[in-house]
Amino acid sequence: MSRSMYITAFCGVLVCLLMFTSGVSANEIPAMVSKESLPELFEKSLRAVEKAINFFGEDYSALNVDGLFGIRICQGALLQAKQDCESGKLDCPVDLVYTLNKYVTSMDDYGNKALAYIEAEDSSYFEQFLDTINSPYTFDVKLDSLGDTSGVTPGTDGSYDEVRGDRCLSLILGSYEKNEGKYPKCSVDQECWTMMTKGNTMAYVITHQLLYFVMVEKSGCVAPIEELVYKYNKTSLRDFEKRLCKSIYVEAQQEEVGNSVKELKQDLFLEQLLLCSLVGFQEFFQEKWIRLVLSWQKPRGCYGMPASLMKVEAELTRVQEDEKHLLQLLTEEAEKM
């Protein structure tokens, strides 16, 4: 998911969480954002969402699957906030409900229009992940705390195999097809389970492990996966997510130095904040990180890095892909021997 998509999703989740936090007793959840700062941060988050929506509305034809997934997360978060207002769960002014409804409607319009362009770009990939982008990603706000992280050390395995990862996600979604036909939803094989639960992971490997379990919830696969987590890992799904986010949190702390994150690390930082906020760990929407992320937005509403750094990032990606291809060829040759 590109940086602009992450921030759009994060800001949407942030709006929802800030609204929810404002109605939560301080005795229930330790506040990461002071009550005095809530109104200001909330307004800034709303404005950031509006600017991002306007940016995507200018050219929704350029969206890809990852980008639209980010928009659907944001849309779902705002929809949840709107529903909480309308149900009386939250005490919201009328103009806020109107604003949320306007944002949700705009995102739905742009998202639906983007579907045809995404399908035309890569129809097989579109079909594989259609269930992640064809509707808002709604979630129940379940604020939680990570607890003590003083003894947590980030892993060292940061090499993520995107092809294998996509296969594992599509097995959960029920969109994976092979010669014998399409696999049923919530399917898991040993290779995927090992990949998504192995320890000593870091960076995009561990965030994609967490994304896998986010997809488990979205796809209605919690019950069978909960059984597997207990069978093989002797813990609950929630505690497993907490273990992942503890490690991710320590990584994020290391990335933020002097209220700054290096530009090449900002994409990862956003992914870390988004995913662990999405599953409710309140340490990830602390005030200084919110302000830091909001400061990265450009006047047009997008987020990006200088062209020189984009070239560096592209070259790093190319080298990684070459290494993966070489490893695959070596593996195939070894199997023939």
Side-chain angles (χ1 to χ4, degrees):
M1 199 186 299
S2 71
R3 184 175 308 183
S4 291
M5 309 310 171
Y6 274 126
I7 190 59
T8 303
F10 178 67
C11 286
V13 173
L14 186 59
V15 166
C16 187
L17 291 173
L18 287 174
M19 289 178 65
F20 186 78
T21 302
S22 67
V24 174
S25 166
N27 295 325
E28 295 178 59
I29 293 291
M32 300 303 291
V33 177
S34 67
K35 292 291 183 181
E36 294 75 21
S37 298
L38 264 175
E40 177 216 354
L41 281 180
F42 180 70
E43 286 300 322
K44 284 187 175 180
S45 300
L46 267 183
R47 287 199 299 272
V49 169
E50 181 168 20
K51 289 167 69 175
I53 292 172
N54 291 338
F55 172 74
F56 293 125
E58 292 174 4
D59 191 11
Y60 47 78
S61 63
L63 284 170
N64 58 16
V65 168
D66 290 347
L68 186 50
F69 178 55
I71 286 180
R72 293 305 194 190
I73 291 176
C74 182
Q75 182 186 354
L78 297 179
L79 181 61
Q80 183 67 52
K82 172 178 169 287
Q83 291 171 347
D84 286 345
C85 288
E86 293 174 337
S87 68
K89 184 177 180 180
L90 295 174
D91 184 15
C92 308
V94 175
D95 60 336
L96 175 58
V97 179
Y98 172 81
T99 298
L100 291 173
N101 187 62
K102 181 179 70 171
Y103 291 171
V104 168
T105 301
S106 294
M107 299 189 93
D108 195 51
D109 180 42
Y110 300 149
N112 291 340
K113 287 178 177 177
L115 287 171
Y117 293 96
I118 295 172
E119 183 177 18
E121 183 71 22
D122 188 339
S123 59
S124 61
Y125 195 73
F126 172 83
E127 290 295 333
Q128 191 176 1
F129 291 101
L130 178 60
D131 283 352
T132 68
I133 60 174
N134 61 359
S135 62
Y137 178 80
T138 55
F139 64 100
D140 292 326
V141 178
K142 297 175 183 175
L143 290 183
D144 198 357
S145 176
L146 293 174
D148 183 24
T149 59
S150 59
V152 177
T153 303
T156 58
D157 179 4
S159 179
Y160 181 69
D161 188 330
E162 192 168 351
V163 174
R164 289 175 59 211
D166 283 351
R167 174 181 167 275
C168 295
L169 287 171
S170 60
L171 278 169
I172 286 293
L173 294 168
S175 59
Y176 183 72
E177 290 189 59
K178 214 172 180 180
N179 297 334
E180 57 268 31
K182 184 177 287 189
Y183 283 62
K185 185 180 285 191
C186 308
S187 294
V188 184
D189 60 19
Q190 189 59 53
E191 180 185 13
C192 286
W193 190 253
T194 299
M195 180 181 187
M196 295 304 174
T197 61
K198 66 180 179 179
N200 192 41
T201 53
M202 62 174 286
Y204 291 107
V205 180
I206 193 168
T207 56
H208 279 76
Q209 287 177 317
L210 181 58
L211 176 63
Y212 177 81
F213 290 104
V214 168
M215 287 295 100
V216 162
E217 292 192 37
K218 179 172 173 57
S219 302
C221 302
V222 170
I225 299 303
E226 187 83 66
E227 290 181 10
L228 288 176
V229 172
Y230 184 77
K231 178 180 178 181
Y232 292 107
N233 302 87
K234 302 304 178 187
T235 188
S236 67
L237 177 56
R238 184 59 174 174
D239 283 344
F240 191 81
E241 290 176 339
K242 180 177 287 190
R243 180 180 72 77
L244 293 176
C245 282
K246 277 188 173 185
S247 185
I248 291 171
Y249 179 67
V250 174
E251 268 194 78
Q253 285 182 310
Q254 294 175 355
E255 289 155 9
E256 184 256 316
V257 179
N259 200 34
S260 178
V261 176
K262 292 180 180 179
E263 288 200 82
L264 281 174
K265 287 285 188 179
Q266 287 177 5
D267 184 74
L268 174 61
F269 188 76
L270 281 166
E271 184 169 334
Q272 292 165 333
L273 266 58
L274 168 64
L275 292 173
C276 287
S277 293
L278 197 62
V279 294
F281 292 111
Q282 47 98 26
E283 285 85 353
F284 288 86
F285 51 98
Q286 54 185 280
E287 186 171 335
K288 68 172 182 176
W289 284 357
I290 293 171
R291 293 188 185 280
L292 179 60
V293 168
L294 292 177
S295 73
W296 295 340
Q297 190 174 37
K298 297 183 182 300
R300 286 186 62 206
C302 63
Y303 286 71
M305 63 177 72
S308 58
L309 286 180
M310 290 181 69
K311 289 179 180 178
V312 171
E313 187 176 54
E315 181 62 19
L316 287 173
T317 301
R318 185 192 65 77
V319 171
Q320 289 172 347
E321 291 301 319
D322 287 346
E323 289 177 347
K324 288 178 185 177
H325 181 62
L326 178 59
L327 181 60
Q328 184 177 356
L329 290 176
L330 290 172
T331 302
E332 290 173 355
E333 287 300 318
E335 289 175 350
K336 293 177 183 178
M337 296 175 65

